[in-house]
Amino acid sequence: MASRHTLNGFVLALGALLAVGCDWPGKPDPGTRQRAAEELTSFVPLYRQHCVGCHGADGQQGPAPPLNDPLFLAIVPDAELERVIRRGRRGTPMPAFGIEAGGELSDAQVTALAQGLKSHWKSDEKLDEPLPSYLPADGDDSTRQPGDRERGATLFAVACAGCHGENGRGGEGSDANNAIHEPAFLALISNQALRRIIITGRSDLGMPSFAGKDGRPDDFSTLTSPQIDDLVALLAHWRDEQGQLANPHTSNVP
Amino acid sequence: MNHLLRELGNWIDVRVGYSETLLPMLRHPIPRAADGPMGWWYVFGSASLTFLLIQILTGIGLSLVYVPAANEAYESLVYLDYEHPFGWFLRALHYYAGSGMVVMLLAHMTQVFLHGAYKYPRELTWMVGVVLLLCTLGMFFSGQILRWDPDAYWGLAVAGSMAGRVPVIGPWVVHALLGSEIIGAAALSRFFALHVFVIPGALLTFLVLHLWLVLRCGISAPPAADRPVDPATYEAEYHEELRQGVPFLGDAMLRDLFFSAAAVIVVVAIAAVVGPKGPTGPPDPTLGGANPRPEWPFLWLFALLALSPPAAETFIMLVFPVVVIGILFLVPVVSNRGHRAPSRRPVAVLAVIVIYTTLGALTYLGVTAPWSPEMRAWTSAAIPTDVVERSSPLELQGSLVFQYKNCRNCHALEGVGGRRGPDLTTVGTRLTRDQLIDQVSNGTPGGGNMPAYGKQMSPAEMTVLADFLVSLRPSGQPPAKVWSSSPTTRP
């Protein structure tokens, strides 16, 4: 009788296997169905294919400015985000990804990326500081003053020199290689990118934001939008001092 | 009921005569020694045959749905994979049973070779077997083409280019193969005809011949070290052996059945778990991201061609296969007598080891394809976070340059990225800043692997890139130094 039971069990097991046949691991998942490259419009695979290399696996801890940064996503205008993905950021290594600019991504894909960045990583929490504008031109243009590098230098000594050293030449001890008053560094970063980094800092690498007090002296007060203009003016002046190391996108590439 | 069936059997037998023809074939005696544990060496041939039967059945099933037209082939496979009930399983089984057939054929040939079973009087059996191997490989290749994805398209492109190098008749061969000078609808139709009519026809014909020769010459006894083959006396000895033989229809057949069943279960399980292979993408030759690969039985050739100097290509494409097939063919002509036992044939054993090691190594290289850049690495492979965390602002800029100048497509960091060039995770300990700038600017001297990037980089980019590369060192390790050999300055 025992063998009869074994046989019954075997038949039952086989039947069960057939019943769940639809869920065999080998059955192709419709989600992984091959599509034409431009039909792919979901954020995660697009981000993995096109952004991870510089902006990091989770939008953080890459060499390029983090995109998974609630402050950045709170202030960057949607149109600007799309424009930079599509056309690149002049004066920085950010390339153009839009098809019309020589990249691979269709309009729908660029939009999916730009919107996905906000829907994935933008925080719902209200950021209570009065936030500086992302673009300098974003204020009332008629009354706006261009940045002043003299004021910028004074600000730099308070807000930045703690880590970047006096005049941006590098700090002391473990901050020794934090120099940014470097021709090659400044040649590869645009004023807008500088402005963005000053505003958002790099929370993933320990650089404080425009309002962060960590590592800054007691008399530091939150930077205002015009003050950020002043700091950018100072760094731009440092860049202009060195003629020979020009912007990568306008330099000796014929 | 039994009685009725017996009546029917008798009725047919009187007219067909199977009890006088087929039954004796099944009952043909085999040497007693081949019936013991040694009998397990004899199961691979019948397993290949079992897989062939599966291929025929699944092939018929697939042909009911597959549309051999350039504009619909891909869609019909997608339909099989995602819509048709168990269509995916049929495709998977057809692929893995085909693979199993190649594996079993190789095992069968290896066994026959090692046991010297190809020697007198079974030389022709071996030669026909070689033809069967070629037919099976032809089925594999033509089957891959029917998948009509980038692998298929570019596989055809390679096959066409190879055929085009044949002297004098090259263009004619290409036209015969592709039905045109370009890869298109005609090529698919031709390969469909090859895969479904021409090659299977040849395969089955030669299979019948092979089986006839097996019956005619008998199953060889397991080799004995003290009994070399001498054509003058072999027949008598073999007949003496058969006198104490056992019928095939018995334990031997059960062993074959058992092994075949086990092999089929394994293949079915693999098909159910791994699923169908491809199609990888639509057959659009303008898609830049295609990364075509030949099927696994051809990966070794893919690797061999990729790693050989261009001057050797034509030789490897046109002469080398002829030589290899010729050698396979001539094996029983060169040695059809003498010892059969592996213990007395060290060169044969060594040859098997060398051939499989070489094929294995080349196949491994074909799988990893370290000679192909990874075209998406620059945007899809992140800079390792520990590198980012310890980087200065300049080095961060350098790692950006490293990515957007596509260095990553050939150079891995911590194992991720292209493998065409060396992994640069610790390059700062090997090359000095000056050496790095020289390497990046000028590439590999003498037109080697690495292109010169000097004219594609601004001074700023070169500066930060060099900073970044020098920083690629395990913590605590100093940068590389140059030990100058210039004469010491005299006082």
Side-chain angles (χ1 to χ4, degrees):
Chain A
M1 279 318 265
S3 67
R4 181 78 168 273
H5 278 291
T6 321
L7 191 69
N8 283 349
F10 183 73
V11 171
L12 262 179
L14 199 71
L17 200 70
L18 281 174
V20 299
C22 306
D23 292 330
W24 282 354
K27 184 172 168 137
D29 172 10
T32 61
R33 191 164 169 162
Q34 288 280 340
R35 285 160 224 275
E38 63 271 17
E39 282 175 37
L40 179 69
T41 51
S42 53
F43 172 73
V44 172
L46 280 175
Y47 182 84
R48 272 196 203 132
Q49 265 178 34
H50 300 284
C51 315
V52 160
C54 294
H55 291 286
D58 294 315
Q60 290 186 337
Q61 287 177 303
L67 301 175
N68 180 1
D69 179 341
L71 178 52
F72 164 69
L73 293 172
I75 59 173
V76 66
D78 291 351
E80 175 70 359
L81 204 48
E82 275 206 33
R83 194 192 65 77
V84 172
I85 297 172
R86 186 168 285 130
R87 327 259 340 172
R89 166 80 71 202
R90 183 172 275 274
T92 74
M94 171 75 186
F97 284 91
I99 284 179
E100 76 276 16
E104 284 187 27
L105 301 182
S106 67
D107 275 358
Q109 288 177 310
V110 170
T111 308
L113 267 177
Q115 289 175 351
L117 286 173
K118 293 217 168 179
S119 62
H120 272 73
W121 289 324
K122 192 174 174 182
S123 168
D124 289 335
E125 273 175 54
K126 196 90 184 98
L127 302 163
D128 41 341
E129 305 281 346
L131 302 178
S133 65
Y134 180 77
L135 296 168
D138 214 21
D140 183 349
D141 284 320
S142 56
T143 59
R144 191 177 188 94
Q145 300 289 317
D148 180 290
R149 68 179 155 93
E150 304 286 342
R151 284 201 304 269
T154 318
L155 277 167
F156 190 91
V158 178
C160 317
C163 292
H164 292 294
E166 200 177 324
N167 256 326
R169 298 286 189 183
E172 290 167 8
S174 62
D175 291 329
N177 64 356
N178 276 348
I180 51 172
H181 192 161
E182 287 280 350
F185 172 78
L186 292 166
L188 296 168
I189 190 164
S190 69
N191 288 357
Q192 176 55 39
L194 286 168
R195 179 179 176 84
R196 183 244 139 117
I197 290 288
I198 296 169
I199 296 173
T200 64
R202 286 213 57 168
S203 56
D204 53 342
L205 298 180
M207 173 176 170
S209 72
F210 73 104
K213 302 243 186 311
D214 273 355
R216 280 172 167 152
D218 294 338
D219 58 342
F220 170 79
S221 58
T222 300
L223 296 169
T224 63
S225 208
Q227 284 178 321
I228 294 164
D229 285 343
D230 295 340
L231 281 171
V232 171
L234 173 70
L235 291 161
H237 170 70
W238 287 345
R239 175 168 52 218
D240 293 342
E241 281 175 340
Q242 313 114 17
Q244 82 277 25
L245 292 170
N247 181 306
H249 292 308
T250 57
S251 64
N252 59 355
V253 181
Chain B
M1 187 66 189
N2 262 347
H3 176 72
L4 211 67
L5 277 180
R6 201 169 299 134
E7 285 282 293
L8 184 66
N10 280 339
W11 189 89
I12 296 175
D13 190 23
V14 168
R15 284 151 187 85
V16 177
Y18 66 81
S19 65
E20 293 160 21
T21 52
L22 206 61
L23 278 185
M25 283 188 196
L26 285 176
R27 290 203 190 105
H28 74 274
I30 61 169
R32 187 165 285 276
D35 196 42
M38 281 305 281
W40 289 105
W41 284 104
Y42 290 73
V43 295
F44 303 117
S46 61
S48 324
L49 189 61
T50 308
F51 282 136
L52 175 64
L53 289 177
I54 293 184
Q55 289 306 82
I56 292 172
L57 293 177
T58 51
I60 290 173
L62 289 174
S63 70
L64 298 178
V65 178
Y66 179 74
V67 185
N71 55 346
E72 283 178 72
Y74 179 80
E75 288 305 318
S76 66
L77 292 182
V78 171
Y79 170 76
L80 272 167
D81 269 4
Y82 294 100
E83 316 282 342
H84 200 84
F86 284 94
W88 65 271
F89 183 69
L90 205 58
R91 286 200 61 231
L93 193 57
H94 197 64
Y95 177 74
Y96 288 105
S99 299
M101 190 171 156
V102 174
V103 171
M104 287 303 148
L105 273 185
L106 292 179
H108 181 51
M109 282 185 87
T110 309
Q111 178 261 322
V112 166
F113 181 75
L114 282 177
H115 285 179
Y118 59 85
K119 297 197 177 194
Y120 180 88
R122 303 184 181 83
E123 299 98 322
L124 201 55
T125 323
W126 167 274
M127 291 177 181
V128 175
V130 172
V131 175
L132 288 175
L133 177 71
L134 296 179
C135 286
T136 308
L137 292 178
M139 289 301 280
F140 222 111
F141 184 80
S142 53
Q144 176 189 358
I145 302 305
L146 299 190
R147 213 183 287 137
W148 211 238
D149 57 7
D151 284 351
Y153 187 92
W154 295 112
L156 260 187
V158 173
S161 309
M162 283 184 172
R165 293 206 191 187
V166 179
V168 187
I169 58 165
W172 182 85
V173 175
V174 173
H175 196 106
L177 211 57
L178 303 183
S180 148
E181 268 62 47
I182 55 161
I183 299 161
L188 181 58
S189 298
R190 298 216 165 182
F191 273 84
F192 183 73
L194 278 177
H195 188 75
V196 176
F197 301 113
V198 181
I199 305 180
L203 183 69
L204 292 176
T205 310
F206 282 103
L207 180 62
V208 169
L209 186 57
H210 192 71
L211 291 177
W212 166 249
L213 287 169
V214 170
L215 284 172
R216 171 94 176 79
C217 306
I219 303 277
S220 68
D226 53 348
R227 291 175 62 190
V229 173
D230 179 0
T233 58
Y234 183 84
E235 297 289 354
E237 285 171 21
Y238 187 65
H239 271 281
E240 197 54 42
E241 254 176 321
L242 285 192
R243 209 178 285 275
Q244 293 143 30
V246 292
F248 171 73
L249 191 69
D251 284 355
M253 190 159 176
L254 279 179
R255 235 184 336 262
D256 279 359
L257 281 175
F258 180 86
F259 182 77
S260 288
V264 169
I265 288 172
V266 168
V267 160
V268 166
I270 292 175
V273 171
V274 182
K277 175 150 188 199
T280 54
D284 181 350
T286 63
L287 290 180
N291 189 11
R293 289 281 190 281
E295 277 303 337
W296 67 266
F298 309 105
L299 277 174
W300 64 275
L301 191 60
F302 172 57
L304 187 65
L305 285 168
L307 296 173
S308 304
E313 274 173 11
T314 305
F315 174 83
I316 293 171
M317 284 172 197
L318 303 180
V319 183
F320 180 70
V322 176
V323 170
V324 169
I325 295 166
I327 289 175
L328 272 179
F329 252 110
L330 295 180
V331 160
V333 178
V334 173
S335 80
N336 75 330
R337 59 179 66 217
H339 280 293
R340 288 182 51 207
S343 57
R344 296 295 181 91
R345 294 162 61 229
V347 175
V349 177
L350 206 62
V352 167
I353 293 171
V354 168
I355 288 169
Y356 274 106
T357 310
T358 311
L359 288 180
L362 284 173
T363 302
Y364 171 77
L365 286 169
V367 172
T368 52
W371 55 82
S372 297
E374 207 141 322
M375 298 309 274
R376 290 200 178 280
W378 70 286
T379 54
S380 65
I383 298 283
T385 52
D386 60 304
V387 174
V388 172
E389 276 165 11
R390 66 169 192 238
S391 287
S392 71
L394 277 170
E395 289 155 10
L396 284 181
Q397 296 282 44
S399 56
L400 287 176
V401 171
F402 185 77
Q403 297 287 72
Y404 89 86
K405 288 293 179 187
N406 294 3
C407 308
R408 194 70 180 275
N409 294 3
C410 290
H411 293 287
L413 290 179
E414 297 186 2
V416 182
R419 288 168 185 284
R420 168 125 204 175
D423 188 314
L424 298 183
T425 312
T426 59
V427 73
T429 62
R430 300 195 299 270
L431 295 176
T432 66
R433 188 184 167 84
D434 286 352
Q435 289 169 332
L436 283 163
I437 291 176
D438 177 33
Q439 177 72 33
V440 175
S441 304
N442 302 321
T444 313
N449 249 334
M450 179 166 164
Y453 284 86
K455 288 193 174 170
Q456 298 181 39
M457 299 245 223
S458 69
E461 288 169 324
M462 190 64 88
T463 306
V464 295
L465 182 64
D467 278 354
F468 170 65
L469 294 173
V470 168
S471 81
L472 289 175
R473 307 188 305 271
S475 66
Q477 283 234 40
K481 272 186 222 150
V482 170
W483 300 94
S484 171
S485 61
S486 59
T488 48
T489 42
R490 295 198 185 95

